[in-house]
Amino acid sequence: MEKIIEESKQGESLVLENKPENTKKLFIESYGCAMNFSDSEVVASILSDGGYNTTSVLEEADLVLVNTCSIRDKAEQTIRKRLEKYNAVKRTNPKMKVGVLGCMAERLKSQFLEEEKIVDLVVGPDAYKDLPNLLAEVEEGRDAINVILSKEETYGDISPVRLMSNGITALVSITRGCDNMCTFCVVPFTRGRERSREPQSIMNEIKDLWEKGFKEITLLGQNVDSYLWYGGGLKKDFVNASEMQKATAVDFDQLLEMVAVGFPKMRIRFSTSNPQDMHESILHVIAKYPNICKHIHLPVQSGSNRILKEMNRLHSREEYMALIDKIRAIVPDASISQDMIAGFPTETEEDHQDTMSLMEYVKYNFGYMYSYSERPGTLAGRKMKDDVEEETKARRLQEIVDLQQKHAWFRSEEFVGKTVEVLVEKVSKKSKEEFSGRNSQSITVVFPKENYKIGDFVNVKITSCTSGTLKGEAVGLSSMN
């Protein structure tokens, strides 16, 4: 649940620049969080070197891959429908191969391959480098599977092939896996234990993006604040590191500062943060550098101490609120967003009201809100009865959503009359005469095009707003250009 799922991007197929020498066609679709979309770029890069060009036409593909998510039941049901569609096409094109990547691959490997026989290969999140070998197995008529979770694999040496439709913003993975065993979450079981990527390979990737004209990057991980490089290996094994390794280790605030100083004209975002790992030192780095965006996605999941304990969240309500106070003091212009679960097992009306009162305390700018759905393989799925009635979950979720909408209006109105810096990302959906981009706080801003262009940093005076969008007039280019 720590992973932001952008509903507008679900099922996007990746189409990249073709290599004339490649003869085979790859259709790849992604579902789930930003990490999955980033992983699909890695997969496309590996297969591009293996003779595949991407296509957006399913029917002409030699290889169809779906990068999957296990975070919610809805995501799994959607992917199963897509697999049915692929197999219907496959009946008319028997040479087409179908594969499942990502989190569902790890969790449902035997079902997909042996019981239901709906795919030819199953590849877990740490096995993408093995794809050429697995495809060779499939060509020989054998099922292929690799879902082994690696202690080292971070794809630091693979330069992802970017989806170039935007060319302005990009995702840069810095960690994989997670050590926080939240009882509702499948990530530790599908992506393995936490390991960090070598800092210089991160800097090299960002340098490459800068040279290609990208203006903003998001440092990406299940828990970025927990980043720790000490020469490789799992984070949990850092206790056994040598004195030299400990003395030269790089943590997240140091990495963030390295990137900010190294690329002063590039905007830097990061996601996702975990409350118990966001230390004050990180906040001081955010406050110090104007190119680090003033937005912190800080999932809380519940405002009830009892439910937080049931979820195995490693923070209390009071600790979370103290962190919010610290953010407001050190980075006063920061926006804060949330993840929230309604109807976790045993949740009472009093627990729900604790969540509502926490929301009133923080007044988040925006959030990602779900009703609890039991995920097989999680601790909650194994040990807790999903005992909150669906109607009660739906009501509580609606109350959370309604309160968030009220707070989003409140936070949007705070910007009216102020001038904000906007990175122009695209033409507005509603009007071809307007540009759309985000400010430092990750709020969408729309303004008349005039003579500006996509990729410009523009100062915009906000004149009006909705709960999710700011509207204004450009007053000139910012110093970030």
Side-chain angles (χ1 to χ4, degrees):
M1 232 22 153
E2 300 286 278
K3 308 192 289 180
I4 302 177
I5 296 176
E6 293 187 47
E7 300 296 351
S8 62
K9 288 191 173 183
Q10 298 306 296
E12 243 180 41
S13 62
L14 192 64
V15 180
L16 308 162
E17 213 171 305
N18 284 345
K19 288 183 179 177
E21 67 272 23
N22 286 355
T23 56
K24 291 175 281 190
K25 292 191 174 177
L26 164 70
F27 179 91
I28 183 167
E29 262 181 0
S30 303
Y31 292 85
C33 65
M35 187 68 82
N36 273 9
F37 286 83
S38 176
D39 280 356
S40 290
E41 292 177 342
V42 169
V43 169
S45 179
I46 292 166
L47 291 176
S48 175
D49 292 339
Y52 286 87
N53 283 330
T54 51
T55 176
S56 60
V57 182
L58 173 63
E59 287 73 15
E60 67 180 28
D62 299 289
L63 174 62
V64 176
L65 297 176
V66 58
N67 201 343
T68 61
C69 171
S70 277
I71 208 93
R72 284 189 276 164
D73 184 57
K74 180 185 169 189
E76 286 201 7
Q77 297 311 316
T78 302
I79 289 157
R80 282 193 170 280
K81 285 195 179 76
R82 291 304 288 158
L83 287 170
E84 286 172 19
K85 168 70 175 170
Y86 303 156
N87 279 281
V89 174
K90 192 175 177 180
R91 283 193 283 276
T92 63
N93 178 14
K95 288 183 180 176
M96 188 176 97
K97 304 301 179 190
V98 175
V100 173
L101 314 176
C103 296
M104 268 179 87
E106 203 288 326
R107 202 172 71 71
L108 297 174
K109 48 192 179 284
S110 56
Q111 252 177 280
F112 283 158
L113 267 178
E114 294 153 24
E115 295 165 31
E116 299 176 30
K117 300 189 188 305
I118 50 175
V119 298
D120 302 290
L121 72 159
V122 176
V123 190
D126 288 352
Y128 299 143
K129 280 184 184 172
D130 199 29
L131 266 165
N133 299 326
L134 295 170
L135 286 167
E137 288 283 308
V138 170
E139 290 300 326
E140 295 291 324
R142 293 185 288 272
D143 289 338
I145 182 167
N146 185 342
V147 292
I148 295 164
L149 292 171
S150 162
K151 290 184 179 181
E152 301 291 341
E153 191 56 87
T154 54
Y155 305 110
D157 57 341
I158 294 173
S159 181
V161 184
R162 305 288 170 184
L163 175 56
M164 298 298 283
S165 63
N166 169 312
I168 305 299
T169 64
L171 304 169
V172 177
S173 293
I174 66 167
T175 70
R176 293 182 79 80
C178 187
D179 285 350
N180 296 322
M181 304 295 284
C182 300
T183 57
F184 53 79
C185 187
V186 294
V187 168
F189 308 106
T190 59
R191 287 187 175 267
R193 298 302 293 262
E194 194 172 308
R195 57 262 192 232
S196 297
R197 182 176 165 191
E198 197 266 322
Q200 199 50 54
S201 81
I202 295 169
M203 295 295 282
N204 290 344
E205 184 176 337
I206 298 169
K207 181 173 181 283
D208 180 58
L209 289 166
W210 172 249
E211 288 169 353
K212 287 176 177 169
F214 284 80
K215 301 294 182 73
E216 178 184 287
I217 51 120
T218 300
L219 301 176
L220 193 66
Q222 252 73 46
N223 182 7
V224 288
D225 306 273
S226 187
Y227 176 89
L228 182 65
W229 173 262
Y230 61 97
L234 299 177
K235 187 188 174 185
K236 73 179 181 66
D237 294 334
F238 180 63
V239 291
N240 302 320
S242 69
E243 291 308 309
M244 178 59 81
Q245 283 177 313
K246 287 179 179 176
T248 56
V250 177
D251 61 15
F252 184 59
D253 57 347
Q254 291 168 308
L255 177 70
L256 195 55
E257 189 156 31
M258 279 169 62
V259 178
V261 171
F263 305 93
K265 296 291 186 183
M266 204 171 202
R267 229 190 217 182
I268 303 149
R269 299 187 186 277
F270 57 89
S271 185
T272 294
S273 293
N274 228 315
Q276 72 272 12
D277 295 304
M278 176 160 264
H279 305 299
E280 190 174 317
S281 55
I282 296 168
L283 300 176
H284 287 293
V285 173
I286 297 168
K288 184 177 178 181
Y289 295 98
N291 58 328
I292 301 178
C293 289
K294 307 302 184 269
H295 166 232
I296 298 170
H297 182 63
L298 199 64
V300 63
Q301 311 300 359
S302 173
S304 158
N305 274 333
R306 192 184 69 78
I307 293 296
L308 288 171
K309 199 168 180 180
E310 291 290 327
M311 290 177 165
N312 196 35
R313 299 290 285 173
L314 302 176
H315 62 85
S316 67
R317 169 192 176 93
E318 291 74 24
E319 286 165 338
Y320 186 89
M321 290 162 82
L323 178 55
I324 295 293
D325 293 344
K326 207 170 273 187
I327 294 169
R328 300 276 188 230
I330 297 169
V331 196
D333 56 343
S335 63
I336 302 172
S337 53
Q338 46 85 348
D339 284 358
M340 207 72 77
I341 299 172
F344 189 77
T346 77
E347 185 186 73
T348 65
E349 205 58 38
E350 187 181 350
D351 296 322
H352 172 59
Q353 291 307 319
D354 283 346
T355 294
M356 302 288 277
S357 69
L358 179 78
M359 290 178 69
E360 284 287 8
Y361 185 84
V362 181
K363 293 185 173 64
Y364 296 98
N365 293 73
F366 54 96
Y368 303 88
M369 297 147 284
Y370 316 100
S371 61
Y372 174 75
S373 65
E374 186 179 282
R375 310 312 299 125
T378 60
L379 292 167
R382 293 202 304 268
K383 296 184 177 178
M384 297 178 191
K385 187 183 175 190
D386 185 2
D387 60 355
V388 179
E389 296 287 337
E390 289 303 317
E391 308 87 76
T392 304
K393 283 185 195 175
R395 173 184 58 78
R396 289 176 186 168
L397 177 61
Q398 193 57 54
E399 287 173 8
I400 288 169
V401 169
D402 291 345
L403 186 57
Q404 180 54 57
Q405 180 81 347
K406 177 184 148 188
H407 293 158
W409 268 107
F410 171 77
R411 291 299 181 195
S412 287
E413 285 167 350
E414 290 183 318
F415 286 101
V416 176
K418 293 179 180 174
T419 298
V420 300
E421 182 187 76
V422 179
L423 172 57
V424 182
E425 294 179 38
K426 58 189 176 184
V427 174
S428 169
K429 280 182 183 175
K430 292 191 176 174
S431 169
K432 290 181 181 176
E433 304 307 310
E434 293 181 323
F435 275 136
S436 172
R438 286 176 297 164
N439 64 3
S440 178
Q441 289 77 14
S442 204
I443 310 297
T444 298
V445 181
V446 175
F447 65 96
K449 280 182 175 179
E450 297 180 33
N451 296 318
Y452 300 102
K453 61 186 188 296
I454 289 173
D456 283 344
F457 286 97
V458 181
N459 288 323
V460 177
K461 184 168 184 181
I462 304 304
T463 53
S464 64
C465 69
T466 67
S467 63
T469 306
L470 306 176
K471 298 176 183 178
E473 303 284 338
V475 295
L477 291 168
S478 88
S479 60
M480 278 285 283
N481 291 286

